[in-house]
Amino acid sequence: IDAQLQATKGSTSDISAYSVTRGSGATADSFYASQGRINAIFDDRNETLVGEIEKRVPDAAALEMESFHLISLAKASRGKLRAAAATIPLVSRASGKWLDADHVRPLEIAGGRAAFAALSSMTLAGALAPAELELE
């Protein structure tokens, strides 16, 4: 994950009213089994998965799948692509507690603004400065 992008997340006033947790994200390659979901219908054998992640990555703050391919692609690009991730967890695997539905939309807006502010503050190697762009 790109260190400069990671450092700027959550640093804007739009998101400051909310609790921002910095930590490692565990990213899964699928929606169901590799996220530690347990259901008798499936033979996933992942009853210990979340505990194993907590042991191996003590600062793990999220387990999701949305950023897996994006981060994998960036890692495979030999430094040509940069990636970071931010999440709005809807449920805690540890407690089973769900985020109140009334908080989702305001968090999406504040989180989106924070992500945009972080991205717009980045300086990209080889990028043209605004004055160098020709508008037609």
Side-chain angles (χ1 to χ4, degrees):
I1 295 181
D2 187 274
Q4 186 181 5
L5 277 170
Q6 185 72 12
T8 60
K9 290 188 321 186
S11 61
T12 66
S13 60
D14 285 343
I15 200 76
S16 63
Y18 300 96
S19 172
V20 175
T21 300
R22 293 179 190 271
S24 295
T27 186
D29 61 351
S30 73
F31 176 74
Y32 195 84
S34 51
Q35 286 196 33
R37 297 172 192 267
I38 299 170
N39 189 312
I41 295 171
F42 298 101
D43 182 18
D44 295 323
R45 301 175 194 189
N46 62 2
E47 290 81 7
T48 62
L49 179 64
V50 172
E52 286 295 319
I53 291 170
E54 290 171 339
K55 275 194 264 183
R56 293 179 188 201
V57 187
D59 73 328
L63 176 57
E64 49 78 36
M65 65 162 269
E66 290 77 9
S67 60
F68 173 78
H69 291 291
L70 173 68
I71 292 170
S72 178
L73 185 62
K75 286 176 87 172
S77 77
R78 298 185 178 131
K80 295 191 185 289
L81 298 176
R82 298 164 73 180
T87 60
I88 300 172
L90 299 179
V91 65
S92 167
R93 294 269 191 268
S95 70
K97 185 177 178 184
W98 283 81
L99 177 67
D100 182 15
D102 293 340
H103 296 296
V104 174
R105 184 73 175 141
L107 282 168
E108 289 173 336
I109 292 169
R113 287 180 176 154
F116 182 74
L119 289 171
S120 65
S121 72
M122 300 286 303
T123 301
L124 303 176
L128 295 174
E132 298 175 291
L133 297 175
E134 283 188 34
L135 301 176
E136 296 181 18

